[in-house]
Amino acid sequence: MEPVPREEKPNPLRDANLCSRLFFWWLNPLFITGHKRKLEEDDMYKVLPEDSSEKLGEELQWYWDKEVQKAKKRGKTPHLTKAIILCYWKSYLVFGIFTMIEETLKIVQPIFLGKIINYFENYGSSDEVALNFAYCYAAALSVCTLILAIMHHLYFYHVQRAGMKLRVAMCHMIYRKALRLSNVAMAKTTTGQIVNLLSNDVNKFDQVTIFLHFLWAGPIQAVAVTVLLWIEIGPSCLAGMAVLIILLPIQTCIGRLFSSLRSKTATLTDVRIRTMNEVISGMKIIKMYAWEKSFAELVNGLRRKEIAMVMKSSYLRGLNLASFFVASKITVFMTFMAYVLLGNVISASRVFVAVSLYGAVRLTVTLFFPAAVERVSEAVVSIRRIKNFLMLDEVSHFSPQLHSNNENVILHVQDLTCYWDKSSLLSAVLGELPKDKGLINATGRIAYVSQQPWVFSGTVRSNILFDKEYEKEKYEKVLKVCALKKDLELLANGDLTVIGDRGATLSGGQKARVNLARAVYQDADIYLLDDPLSAVDAEVGRHLFEKCICQALHQKISVLVTHQLQYLRAANQILILKDGKMVGKGTYSEFLRSGIDFASLLKKDEEVEQPSVPGTPNLKSARSRTFSESSVWSQDSSVHSQKDGAVEQPPAENALAVVPEESRSEGKINFRVYRKYFTAGANYFVIFILLVFNILAQVAYVLQDWWLSYWANHQEKLNVTTNGNNGANETEHLDLNFYLGIYAGLTVATILFGIIRSLLVFQVLVNSGQTLHNKMFQSILKAPVLFFDRNPIGRILNRFSKDIGHLDDLLPLTFLDFVQTLLQIFGVVAVAVAVIPWILIPLIPLFILFIFLRRYFLDTSRDIKRLESTTRSPVFSHLSSSLQGLWTIRALKAEERFQKLFDAHQDLHSEAWFLFLTTSRWFAVRLDAICAIFVIVVAFGSLLLAKTLNAGQVGLALSYAITLMGTFQWGVRQSAEVENLMISVERVMEYTELEKEAPWETNKHPPPEWPSQGMIAFENVNFTYSLDGPLVLRHLSVLIKPKEKVGIVGRTGAGKSSLIAALFRLAEPEGKIWIDKYLTSELGLHDLRKKISIIPQEPVLFTGTMRKNLDPFNEYTDEELWNALEEVQLKEAVEDLPNKMETQLAESGSNFSVGQRQLVCLARAVLKKNRILIIDEATANVDPRTDEFIQKTIREKFAHCTVLTIAHRLNTIIDSDRIMVLDAGRLKEYGEPYILLQEQDGLFYKMVQQVGKTEAASLIETAKRVYFSKNYPEVVQNGQLATDSSLDPSSGLCITETAL
């Protein structure tokens, strides 16, 4: 989590001179580097001080706070928009001047054009004066063009940077708010929603600033153009303007419709991504339950709804683009139809001045103005969402006061009423839980250890230090008391090992201990420990309690929440809570004397010599919470296992979970990707038709203009001949019907082809997106579990959110835009070459220069684009990781530091974004320069060749050349953009071709009643999670008989969970595993997995109804479901829900406690009625009562089943039929518990001895009783053993049954 230390390169823009700023020369060194090699993060320039996240965020925050205060005074709601405007209006106004100049030049250009054409109309070869004037006009036209080329990009660069500033400031505020959210507020929003604000909503600011000025520039420009046209062609110009004006509201309506569809799509996408998030996080469970199909249906259903919306909005977009394409054609057609019908004579100069003026106003009125309206409305929606988020409740800063004098540190809680769940007391002390009434007074610094351990990405050391100074001695001591020394020695780089997204390389127990170490190192006054001991095994738990809680925190106030009653002896004060009420309070000895509810919690007689450790046999208790103040613990525990903290090997399962760098695809996009992308959406025939329509549309487009110039030329010839004959100046009219008719026909053709082509392109491309999403999702569902261990959730989700988003939204639009523009450029060049063939001579070097420039630019831009996306993800992962560890961060007062880290991540992203903006402008300026040269060549070339040309041709060529200016660079940038977006297609395709696990169904189906017995046999099984990974099970052979209850024990990393993984074939084991005469490797995975029930270690509930959670395939009746719930004592809890079983659960079932979620998992197993049940340490986070209840249910309900239990607490499995002891992947011992206990040097015996004398004695007693009642029932009299030593198996009774 440390800020990335790296060499910062100073930003060359700071000292760049004017010329360099105009042409972006200061970027040249970067391009040279980018051309030579791949750009890395170190090549990026430092953020300019005025762009830094902290500065921008604090500034906007100040305006927002002021606005909130003002609104409070007036009793109104505050407006975020006001704060934004106040903050930025001055700097933004200046850019308006740029807009003004640019739009004026665009209007002036056509006037010069008209003068040049005029010269051709009145052409006399001897007229020197006229020629000189014409040259002046050509020069003026050229200067206009050049100024436009430079001006436009400077303006765009500045407004985009303004957008970036606004976005960065917003993100800073959102994160700052996220760190202060109260619990009530957290319930109103989800992590996904906050990440969405940060990933989608703020991006609207980048776009809105670009177009904002056109809201006023558009109308002004339209008025100016109308005036000029009136001067040129009289009132018939109104017909053309009318078309543009009518188009405006139509486009605005389309825009409105579009944004409403957009928000509908967005909510559907949110739901789909939330579901995907759960599917990916719970993948292991989904696979074990064989629920893939249910989730596939769920996601596909959501996706279908979403695609229907996307399709609608895409058609709208298609119409919009088409209308943009044909708008100018319709306007020119209406204008000249009116002009001719009013009895005027058409002439080249009038035609092309009008065409150019319309061209100038068309962009602004039909593209920028509606875009401005659409972007502003989108931004307003986003601002409202962000404002609602910023208005959520904050934590009331009840912060413990720090006293400098040595006043006693106290924690005082009186008559407190809160709304409780299990960990509520601590959260109330932390100030996280709003108190209803009563008083909390905490003086001193607080350290908090959460129940679900939280680690952030960074080194282990940074996780423990948490920004405190590193003091070697203290640090070593902390590692020692938290039993972390051995663990760290086993990690590759010791405590400097980077633990990845969600701490991928640590086991649960290790995470819990890192969490504890972090708190201890803080050296606070009050320690709130929320059950830190439940995630570790008995020996480690005991070590932590004695060495850490009792000794290291000896001087501190510690509040320990625990279920593990053997620790109560050491507490100074015990508080027992039941359903949020205090049931008892006092010291240990008082409780023993009083004999209230507490006495039934602890069996007094067994607990005399020494407080025992973890699972106490069958205790009924509420979750007890102990207050221990400077605990009295004198004797240093004499247990032999206390060597510098118990070793917990890093789990072999995760040996390969070091998060690999996300692959960044290098170089060009393969043609194969394009081919696959198109064929995913349609067959070759449709694609061919698509091509034809595209070409037809462009041909019709050019012909329409050409016909006008042809008409004007004929008219002119007529004028000339009539003058020659009679000398009487009368104008002959051409056959109007013929010329106008053909003109109308061409116009209609252009419109039709334009629209058909747009819709077709969208149809095909959106279909591709749908097909690829389905393929990718199917491929993810079939991927082996290893894939999910190797790739962090964020990376997989990114493919489903960002990349699929691109395929749905941006790619079809960009692609169509690119094709339209490309064809237009071809049209322009073709016309120019047809008029003046000589143009080919300068064209060829210009073309070569362009090809070189594009190559050169893409080398760099591709890297920058990739850097931009790789520097973006830390921003999100920092946010979501902070939200997970919110309480810890707040308890340790680290908000400031996390804010700084967030700003550092943002600045890194800004560096990439800044380069992305400037490099694209560098390129665009150079492209427009090429176009300007083209315009100049056409203008002067036509004057030089004046003899051979007529006015109509020159008009056509020049007016087309002028349109090339914006179009050309836009087309090229779109081509680069298409290529960039194709990276998303490539990434999606990469995930459609993942390695698959075995097929779900094979042709070998077991009979439906299989397995009827439940016998399991392992025969020489080796197991590894990946081909190159270490073996986690070695040569395992074991026979489990039908209906046997088998306990599986072993240290962490011994291969207990791997045994289950092998049984479920989460990866393919070597060797043979039989279940009831069927070889598991021959069955389909679903056939196999459906027949084995599992109660997983971490209970997983999915968003959806309770019913879906129990029975996703609707296989059971309501009655069966209620019965199952009743059997696991959840019936009441579910009946209390508003819609009973149809109630939607909160995100991943968070409205149930861990214990209740565990019971839901139990209910699933009860429903399935399978012959084989597997329990994976299901008791780790559950209080003894629930634990005992689960054990009891399992004994009764599953008496006829084969049950395998992986246990940390020996008391849960001591009464099993057999016990399997694993060590380092090998089977060490297998037999009845009592018999294994006779082996004094056996592993199991040692494990039992490690839990402490009392507990060990009780375990051995139980084992003995179970053994005798099973094998010699006549000896057992009313549950007690007769004291006949001759039956002691160690004294001569021959036991022949051993492990296979």
Side-chain angles (χ1 to χ4, degrees), residues 812-833:
L813 185 71
T814 315
F815 196 85
L816 179 57
D817 204 359
F818 163 63
V819 169
Q820 252 174 223
T821 317
L822 182 74
L823 288 168
Q824 227 156 331
I825 295 166
F826 280 153
V828 172
V829 175
V831 167
V833 171

Side-chain angles (χ1 to χ4, degrees), residues 558-627:
S558 311
V559 182
L560 172 70
V561 174
T562 182
H563 322 291
Q564 304 187 356
L565 306 170
Q566 63 275 13
Y567 297 135
L568 296 186
R569 166 73 53 89
N572 298 29
Q573 198 179 25
I574 299 169
L575 183 64
I576 302 178
L577 299 177
K578 216 176 198 169
D579 303 328
K581 290 204 174 49
M582 183 168 80
V583 195
K585 174 177 169 214
T587 63
Y588 183 75
S589 46
E590 280 171 30
F591 272 127
L592 286 185
R593 281 201 297 275
S594 66
I596 55 166
D597 186 22
F598 187 66
S600 65
L601 299 183
L602 286 166
K603 296 191 178 162
K604 292 185 276 311
D605 51 347
E606 290 183 3
E607 305 277 320
V608 185
E609 308 132 76
Q610 197 188 1
S612 87
V613 183
T616 352
N618 314 345
L619 299 182
K620 291 194 180 59
S621 113
R623 163 132 172 199
S624 341
R625 306 177 180 248
T626 61
F627 279 115

Side-chain angles (χ1 to χ4, degrees), residues 673 677 772 807 811 981-989:
V673 177
Y677 176 51
L772 287 174
L807 263 68
L811 190 55
L981 288 171
M982 285 306 283
I983 293 176
S984 283
V985 176
E986 200 176 35
R987 286 164 50 111
V988 169
M989 284 190 178

Side-chain angles (χ1 to χ4, degrees), residues 346-576:
I346 219 162
S347 84
S349 62
R350 292 207 176 104
V351 167
F352 290 108
V353 167
V355 167
S356 291
L357 277 172
Y358 278 134
V361 78
R362 176 193 76 150
L363 260 180
T364 321
V365 174
T366 61
L367 187 73
F368 292 153
F369 185 74
V373 174
E374 183 186 333
R375 292 295 189 285
V376 167
S377 60
E378 278 187 354
V380 167
V381 172
S382 289
I383 288 179
R384 195 168 57 233
R385 286 179 56 154
I386 292 172
K387 188 202 82 175
N388 291 343
F389 175 70
L390 292 176
M391 295 300 293
L392 289 172
D393 294 348
E394 296 194 4
V395 161
S396 48
H397 270 286
F398 143 77
S399 41
Q401 314 86 0
L402 293 180
H403 294 291
S404 45
N405 56 353
N406 300 343
E407 190 186 324
N408 276 348
V409 183
I410 54 164
L411 175 59
H412 180 72
V413 180
Q414 194 177 354
D415 291 341
L416 178 71
T417 312
C418 293
Y419 294 99
W420 298 91
D421 73 325
K422 288 261 173 96
S423 307
S424 308
L425 179 66
L426 298 193
S427 40
V429 176
L430 283 173
E432 295 284 355
L433 190 74
K435 46 181 191 286
D436 203 33
K437 54 176 191 277
L439 166 121
I440 296 187
N441 180 9
T443 316
R445 291 196 319 274
I446 292 185
Y448 167 71
V449 178
S450 53
Q451 185 177 0
Q452 306 271 327
W454 171 69
V455 290
F456 48 79
S457 47
T459 60
V460 179
R461 181 181 295 183
S462 68
N463 259 293
I464 293 174
L465 296 181
F466 213 65
D467 216 30
K468 285 266 188 287
E469 280 298 300
Y470 173 66
E471 299 166 29
K472 190 157 175 32
E473 203 173 310
K474 175 176 164 191
Y475 180 72
E476 290 296 323
K477 202 169 144 198
V478 170
L479 288 187
K480 197 167 161 181
V481 297
C482 293
L484 275 168
K485 285 199 79 109
K486 284 283 193 310
D487 296 86
L488 293 183
E489 281 163 23
L490 291 166
L491 289 174
N493 309 337
D495 63 349
L496 295 178
T497 308
V498 174
I499 42 185
D501 191 27
R502 319 197 316 284
T505 44
L506 299 186
S507 71
Q510 287 167 323
K511 277 189 220 169
R513 294 196 309 254
V514 167
N515 249 17
L516 189 58
R518 179 189 303 146
V520 177
Y521 194 85
Q522 292 302 309
D523 203 19
D525 305 314
I526 301 175
Y527 278 82
L528 305 178
L529 310 173
D530 192 353
D531 206 3
L533 303 173
S534 62
V536 295
D537 55 44
E539 185 185 346
V540 178
R542 170 180 207 153
H543 171 87
L544 291 180
F545 186 70
E546 295 174 6
K547 287 283 192 295
C548 178
I549 298 173
C550 297
Q551 284 175 15
L553 305 181
H554 178 69
Q555 302 298 325
K556 321 280 189 187
I557 296 185
S558 311
V559 182
L560 172 70
V561 174
T562 182
H563 322 291
Q564 304 187 356
L565 306 170
Q566 63 275 13
Y567 297 135
L568 296 186
R569 166 73 53 89
N572 298 29
Q573 198 179 25
I574 299 169
L575 183 64
I576 302 178

Side-chain angles (χ1 to χ4, degrees), residues 262 265 269 272-273 276 303 306-307 310 677 765-766 768-777 796-812 981 983-985 987-989 991-992:
R262 194 83 208 95
T265 317
T269 311
R272 173 176 63 87
I273 288 171
M276 278 309 305
R303 176 73 180 152
E306 184 190 0
I307 274 287
V310 170
Y677 176 51
L765 296 190
V766 173
S768 299
Q770 169 66 326
T771 314
L772 287 174
H773 171 273
N774 290 351
K775 275 192 183 157
M776 170 160 81
F777 184 54
I796 304 174
L797 252 191
N798 213 349
R799 297 281 204 281
F800 280 96
S801 51
K802 192 160 157 241
D803 293 328
I804 288 288
H806 283 172
L807 263 68
D808 287 348
D809 199 34
L810 288 175
L811 190 55
L981 288 171
I983 293 176
S984 283
V985 176
R987 286 164 50 111
V988 169
M989 284 190 178
Y991 270 28
T992 57

Side-chain angles (χ1 to χ4, degrees), residues 656-688:
L656 32 96
V658 182
V659 181
E661 211 23 57
E662 177 152 19
S663 52
R664 305 198 308 188
S665 33
E666 307 277 328
K668 278 231 170 63
I669 302 285
N670 212 322
F671 176 70
R672 191 183 71 95
V673 177
Y674 284 95
R675 199 189 69 226
K676 280 182 125 170
Y677 176 51
F678 284 111
T679 47
N683 53 25
Y684 286 110
F685 177 63
V686 177
I687 293 171
F688 173 70

